[in-house]
Amino acid sequence: MMFMPIDLNAAGKDELMQLQLVSERAARRVVEYRAQKGRFESVEELTEVEGFSDRAIEQIRDQVTVGPGSMADCHRRWLNRGPA
């Protein structure tokens, strides 16, 4: 089964909760952060969201991506990523 990373700029609370170690509260904070500050420029920017430590980010890094917010663009990047 192919896993598609979750786009921090497009995912809703329920989708974010599918990530390892992400609670409902943390997922809600990601969505609120995005609404207040705009799109994420990097996965590391999650450190600015309450509840996300450097260690937690490292554990979910391969499960997330930072795209322009379009699932079509995210899918296109995933398909063009090259060999794993």
Side-chain angles (χ1 to χ4, degrees):
M1 183 169 127
M2 181 187 266
F3 173 78
M4 192 163 183
I6 293 175
D7 184 347
L8 293 174
N9 289 320
K13 180 182 64 108
D14 292 337
E15 190 173 9
L16 290 164
M17 287 173 52
Q18 295 175 22
L19 294 168
Q20 175 186 346
L21 303 175
V22 177
S23 67
E24 181 177 358
R25 179 181 287 171
R28 188 173 46 249
R29 287 180 180 150
V30 169
V31 173
E32 290 169 356
Y33 177 90
R34 198 174 57 213
Q36 293 173 1
K37 307 275 185 172
R39 67 183 304 280
F40 284 88
E41 296 296 326
S42 69
V43 174
E44 289 75 22
E45 192 175 342
L46 274 174
T47 59
E48 296 181 28
V49 178
E50 184 180 343
F52 285 90
S53 65
D54 290 335
R55 183 173 180 219
I57 292 168
E58 285 307 312
Q59 290 181 308
I60 65 168
R61 180 176 300 283
D62 64 339
Q63 300 173 47
V64 295
T65 187
V66 176
S70 162
M71 289 308 293
D73 288 339
C74 181
H75 185 68
R76 190 170 22 267
R77 276 194 318 280
W78 178 253
L79 292 174
N80 294 326
R81 77 190 188 295

